[in-house]
Amino acid sequence: MARCVRLGAFLLGWGLACAAGAGPEERPPRAAVVSAHPLASAAGEELLRAGGNAFDAAVAVSATLAVVEPYASGLGGGGFWLLHRAADGRQVMLDGRETAPAAARPELFHAADGTPSPELSRDGGTAVAVPGVPAALLYLAKHYGRLPLARSLAPAVRHARAGFPVTPRYRRLVQYRLELLRADPAAAGIFLEQGEIPPAGHLIVQEELAATLERLGAEGRAGFYAGEVARRLVRAVRAAGGVWELKDLDDYRVVERAPVVFEYQGVRVISAPPPSSGGVVLAETLKILERFSLPGSGPARVHLVVEAMRRAYRDRAWWLGDPDFTKIPMQRLLSGAHSARLARDISLSEATPSTKLPAPKRIPEPESADTTHFSILDEAGNRVAATLSINLPFGAGLMAAGTGVLLNDEMDDFAFGFRDPNAYGLVGGQSNVVAGGRRPLSSMTPTFLETPERIALLGTPGGSRIISMVLLAILDFTAGAEPQSWVTLPRYHHQYLPDILQFELGALPAGEQRALRAMGHQLQEKKRRYGNMQAILWDRLGNRVAAASDPRGEGEARIFSVGPCQPAPVH
Ligand code: DON
């Protein structure tokens, strides 16, 4: 705690000094923008060079990703923006998660025979929750940015009109949702070429999306949540079997939430609170691990990390959901007594079957998916780590004609019972059941790490595996590694149910796999590598900024200087 107070004092003091000193620097020597797409990273740099701060740049990057990564996030989706304002040290998470329409209820997702039907929460009108991204961009610009919203949206508008070139990743993700896109004339007209996957280099032009972005910039809330755009959105969702009303859009609000904050081995971790499960699962896992002496590598390390994950993900399934609807025992879950209890039955030599932890079993296979993360640090020290989503690639595969807005299928993140996992194999109960106005539980985990010397900003897409990826990066940061290592690290994962230790292609050497099997772990090597982490390190002692984009993706890290000693943000 004492350190946090001291750190706060450093941050508050930055305005007084800009020259290099002997201790940890109070302002970064350079700015950094790292995102999953080069055009979005460039948009962030453009805004910082135009006099914007990290929050204006975050609006520009979010909006540009909505254009150039239509499979990952967009105006029709939601997200979490973790913010640090240098002027006063304020740290907050902007919750722009989608909400269920008022008429939503579990039976909406049942087939005629009364059994849950996964398609109903993944494809078409019932899958679509009310989007939060447009409201969040408005809020960011108004309360944290320095520039008008329309200025920050300008790069996105430009790219929507001029078009962006199809990449191998785009082709792979279209393939995954091809039938769905073919079935929707508005979406097919833009994202396909005569009903087929467009060739690499083909330009995707989105005139209508450009107009919707301009409308949002000019009219604010009324440009999306009311009027012509809102009417078209509701019409499209209802025509596809959904239950939206205009009032659902009118009712949508972003929420500022206090992040989950805890210490792990001298590192202050600031991460996403409910309705994301990220911060709580990270805190529980790391608090369990702190009770063991964790080897630096080898099967004994993987075993311990997996046993900790298993227990934390079980609590996720049992307790977590939208905090405005379900009572989450946060204090207890984050307490030392709870982690001591969870750690007590971990054997150093044997896997605990998840079924031995009280709860039912099921072994589904998580599917491929998409979502996006970006991180921004400006030279005043403002920070944004944001993870945004429309859930599965191309969301519900539904575009509201005339708006260019591709709609999410985030309703699948609600729990359909312990026997019916969602697309990521996640199970859950009452704490995350569908209800009108409620936000589905997320795994998106934008995170800051702080020591007096080093500050990190990171996050990644990857469904249920987001949290374990961020966890492995935190362990790597704690061991002193750099962003290139955090984003490149081989990854492994356990989420309680299914009771499987998954790992990336090639992540665990054969000997390690044998040792883990001998301990009773059921192993599964994935066919692909997964994740798309975007990370920044500000080394305050070394007075340098480093950033890295996951080699598994097509992203880009930019580090640059706009000029020293910029004036403080006005808000
Ligand atoms: O909010 C969530 O947890 C999911 N909708 C995120 C989906 C995702 O990361 C898919 N990415 N590969």
Side-chain angles (χ1 to χ4, degrees), residues 105-388:
R105 59 194 184 285
E107 300 74 51
L108 204 57
F109 304 93
H110 291 173
D113 64 0
T115 55
S117 163
E119 293 73 39
L120 290 172
S121 60
R122 293 175 203 167
D123 312 333
T126 44
V128 190
V130 179
V133 165
L137 300 188
L138 278 158
Y139 192 96
L140 257 179
K142 178 166 174 211
H143 296 279
Y144 292 92
R146 302 205 264 217
L147 300 178
L149 178 64
R151 172 64 191 96
S152 300
L153 296 178
V157 172
R158 233 170 39 226
H159 292 305
R161 287 237 156 84
F164 72 90
V166 165
T167 63
R169 182 177 172 80
Y170 179 99
R171 289 175 50 87
R172 181 167 68 77
L173 292 162
V174 166
Q175 173 69 55
Y176 181 73
R177 298 291 259 174
L178 189 54
E179 289 318 311
L180 206 60
L181 291 170
R182 277 183 178 147
D184 185 283
I190 290 172
F191 300 122
L192 303 179
E193 174 68 355
Q194 327 258 300
E196 300 300 329
I197 305 177
H202 173 88
L203 283 187
I204 303 292
V205 175
Q206 301 172 83
E207 264 305 332
E208 291 172 345
L209 182 58
T212 299
L213 283 161
E214 280 175 336
R215 218 179 246 243
L216 184 68
E219 298 170 28
R221 250 194 100 84
F224 189 90
Y225 291 91
E228 186 54 24
V229 170
R231 276 194 295 278
R232 286 178 179 273
L233 293 173
V234 171
R235 206 178 305 141
V237 168
R238 293 187 74 91
V243 293
W244 280 24
E245 304 281 352
L246 276 171
K247 182 162 186 325
D248 291 316
L249 282 163
D250 193 44
D251 283 348
Y252 186 84
R253 295 286 176 275
V254 295
V255 185
E256 285 206 357
R257 301 197 191 267
V260 168
V261 180
F262 63 96
E263 294 249 343
Y264 170 72
Q265 300 215 331
V267 177
R268 185 170 186 257
V269 181
I270 299 109
S271 193
S276 169
S277 56
V280 172
V281 173
L282 281 182
E284 286 198 33
T285 311
L286 290 166
K287 278 166 185 280
I288 294 172
L289 288 177
E290 218 164 24
R291 296 177 176 272
F292 295 89
S293 97
L294 189 64
S297 61
R301 175 186 174 91
V302 176
H303 169 71
L304 273 175
V305 172
V306 160
E307 290 304 313
M309 284 178 187
R310 181 199 305 282
R311 286 158 175 81
Y313 271 91
R314 185 193 59 160
D315 277 353
R316 177 194 197 280
W318 276 29
W319 294 109
L320 301 188
D322 182 342
D324 298 337
F325 283 73
T326 187
K327 177 122 190 58
I328 303 174
M330 288 290 276
Q331 247 187 326
R332 184 167 74 74
L333 295 179
L334 302 180
S335 70
H338 187 61
S339 57
R341 234 181 348 261
L342 294 180
R344 201 176 301 141
D345 65 356
I346 293 182
S347 153
L348 293 181
S349 57
E350 254 181 72
T352 311
S354 288
T355 46
K356 283 258 171 71
L357 307 174
K361 69 169 173 183
R362 172 81 191 227
I363 306 189
E365 164 68 2
E367 294 176 20
S368 146
D370 226 275
T371 285
T372 197
H373 178 89
F374 67 84
S375 300
I376 300 176
L377 172 72
D378 71 18
E379 284 165 280
N382 295 307
R383 305 176 220 153
V384 179
T387 313
L388 317 178

Side-chain angles (χ1 to χ4, degrees), residues 97 369-371 389 391 410 413 424 442-444 461-463 466:
R97 181 68 162 167
D370 226 275
T371 285
S389 185
N391 204 24
E410 221 75 65
D413 280 342
Y424 311 105
S442 173
S443 301
M444 295 189 286
I466 290 174

